[in-house]
């Protein structure tokens, strides 16, 4: 049914371009948010939605203010692009699969909720649970947007049987949960306190132990998927990318701890890889 709609229409390329830009902007949003936290710039702009009462602060501008300001700017861009996709999907609804406008409508509501959580993080002075919720919604946006874009790019029945897709979604959920636990470690400064004073080591230990389980689960998903001949033949770049990202993520985590969390680049890279894992696993499923 869909082959007579978007997949042979002039609108396909428009939604693909907007979708790709949305995924990239969402990944950048999470990474910049991580950099903002690492550089302790979460409250560099004391007000919201403006920064020091203006759209572009001048005299107050420094690295920390720039990170927080740019994080908000990217969030605004993401919101505009998703709203544009929703409006276009409504306008061209007769030529699109019925699920597409509903999905874009849900994403638009989700990004509005994300903005609300972003405001709370500033107005409530960075409470840990709200920061985690903010990150959870961001990962959800990345996963759904990545999956939607991939579905538009490769329409039709999935190569994955239902049981394998369920395994894939379990892997996806485990990566998100592990990232949120890492956010909890970061926002409570548990790693620094454990390494420096021997305090809050239980939380850091939980994150490290669960990282082993999550890595094993994701690698097992890749191995099981590789035994499906069609999946291996057509999706091997995704499978190989997942393995590479898992290995890189482990190395970044180990080096971050070994260097006593003193290298911001490693910590930011750790969050970037987590975000890429979410995007790739979602696209694969």
């Amino acid at each position: 049914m869909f082959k007579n709609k978007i997949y042979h229409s002039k609108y396909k390329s428009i939604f693909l371009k907007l979708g790709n830009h949305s995924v990239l902007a969402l990944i950048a949003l999470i990474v910049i948010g991580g950099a903002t936290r690492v550089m302790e710039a979460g409250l560099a702009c004391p007000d919201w939605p403006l920064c020091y009462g203006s759209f572009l602060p001048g005299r107050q501008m420094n690295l920390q203010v720039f990170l927080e300001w740019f994080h908000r700017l990217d969030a605004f861009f993401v919101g505009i692009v998703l709203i544009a996709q929703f409006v276009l999907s409504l306008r061209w609804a007769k030529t699109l699969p019925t699920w597409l406008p509903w999905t874009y409508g849900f994403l638009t509501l989700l990004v509005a909720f994300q903005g609300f959580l972003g405001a709370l993080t500033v107005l409530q002075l960075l409470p840990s649970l709200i920061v985690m919720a903010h990150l959870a919604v961001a990962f959800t946006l990345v996963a759904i947007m990545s999956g939607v874009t991939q579905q538009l790019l490769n329409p039709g029945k999935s190569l994955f049987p239902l049981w394998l897709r369920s395994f894939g979604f379990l892997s996806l959920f485990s990566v998100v949960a592990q990232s949120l636990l890492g956010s909890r470690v970061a926002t409570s400064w548990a790693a620094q306190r454990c390494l420096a004073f021997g305090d809050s080591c239980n939380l850091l230990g939980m994150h490290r132990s669960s990282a082993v389980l999550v890595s094993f689960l994701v690698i097992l998903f890749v191995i099981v998927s590789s035994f499906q001949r069609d999946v291996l033949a057509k999706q091997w770049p995704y499978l190989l990318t997942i393995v590479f990202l898992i290995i890189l993520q482990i190395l970044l985590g180990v080096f971050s701890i070994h260097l006593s969390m003193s290298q911001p680049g490693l910590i930011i890279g750790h969050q970037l890889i987590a975000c890429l894992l979410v995007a790739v696993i979602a696209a694969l499923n």
Side-chain angles (χ1 to χ4, degrees):
M1 178 177 66
F2 293 165
K3 290 183 179 180
N4 296 324
K5 290 187 176 183
I6 188 173
Y7 305 115
H8 290 289
S9 75
K10 63 182 180 180
Y11 306 130
K12 176 180 177 179
S13 62
I14 296 176
F15 281 103
L16 281 175
K17 288 177 181 178
L18 290 174
N20 288 330
H21 282 88
S22 297
V23 173
L24 292 175
L26 284 165
I27 292 174
L29 186 64
I30 294 177
V31 173
I32 296 168
T36 301
R37 176 190 55 77
V38 170
M39 300 303 294
E40 300 182 32
L43 296 176
C45 293
D47 48 346
W48 191 94
L50 299 176
C51 185
Y52 288 98
S54 64
F55 175 75
L56 178 60
R59 291 178 299 175
Q60 298 86 359
M61 185 64 76
N62 55 35
L63 177 59
Q64 291 180 314
V65 173
F66 174 79
L67 286 172
E68 174 62 10
W69 172 81
F70 193 71
H71 180 63
R72 296 184 188 184
L73 183 66
D74 191 22
F76 177 76
F77 172 78
V78 169
I80 292 298
V81 173
L82 285 176
I83 291 173
Q85 288 173 292
F86 178 49
V87 171
L88 291 175
S89 69
L90 291 177
R91 181 179 179 182
W92 300 328
K94 293 182 179 179
T95 65
L96 304 177
T98 54
W99 58 267
L100 199 59
W102 287 98
T103 302
Y104 284 137
F106 174 72
L107 288 170
T108 301
L109 292 176
L110 201 59
V111 80
F113 181 59
Q114 177 75 330
F116 170 73
L117 290 175
L120 284 183
T121 59
V122 175
L123 300 178
Q124 298 295 322
L125 305 181
L126 304 178
S128 180
L129 292 179
I130 294 180
V131 173
M132 288 177 62
H134 192 57
L135 181 62
V137 174
F139 275 127
T140 303
L141 284 166
V142 169
I144 296 176
M145 198 67 246
S146 180
V148 168
T149 304
Q150 184 66 18
Q151 178 63 26
L152 295 177
L153 185 63
N154 295 296
K157 186 178 180 181
S158 173
L159 295 173
F160 287 72
L162 180 60
W163 66 269
L164 188 54
R165 271 184 287 164
S166 300
F167 193 3
F169 282 114
L170 177 61
S171 301
L172 177 63
F173 176 79
S174 69
V175 171
V176 173
Q178 175 67 8
S179 299
L180 295 180
L181 181 57
S183 174
R184 178 64 175 173
V185 172
T187 54
S188 63
W189 299 97
Q192 288 85 348
R193 287 190 290 163
C194 177
L195 295 172
F197 310 109
D199 185 27
S200 300
C201 290
N202 288 339
L203 190 58
L204 178 60
M206 186 187 304
H207 181 63
R208 295 171 69 177
S209 299
S210 59
V212 176
L213 296 176
V214 170
S215 299
F216 174 77
L217 181 64
V218 174
I219 293 297
L220 183 60
F221 166 64
V222 171
I223 293 173
V224 173
S225 299
S226 299
F227 284 109
Q228 304 290 315
R229 183 175 301 176
D230 290 341
V231 174
L232 181 61
K234 297 182 179 181
Q235 305 293 356
W236 66 266
Y238 287 96
L239 299 174
L240 193 61
T241 299
I242 291 172
V243 173
F244 172 76
L245 290 175
I246 283 290
I247 294 173
L248 186 56
Q249 183 74 325
I250 293 172
L251 291 175
L252 287 172
V254 169
F255 282 123
S256 295
I257 296 297
H258 181 71
L259 296 173
S260 302
M261 308 295 289
S262 61
Q263 299 299 318
L266 293 178
I267 302 171
I268 296 169
H270 197 56
Q271 186 155 335
L272 169 62
I273 299 302
C275 192
L276 292 175
L277 273 170
V278 169
V280 174
I281 296 174
L284 183 62
N285 275 282

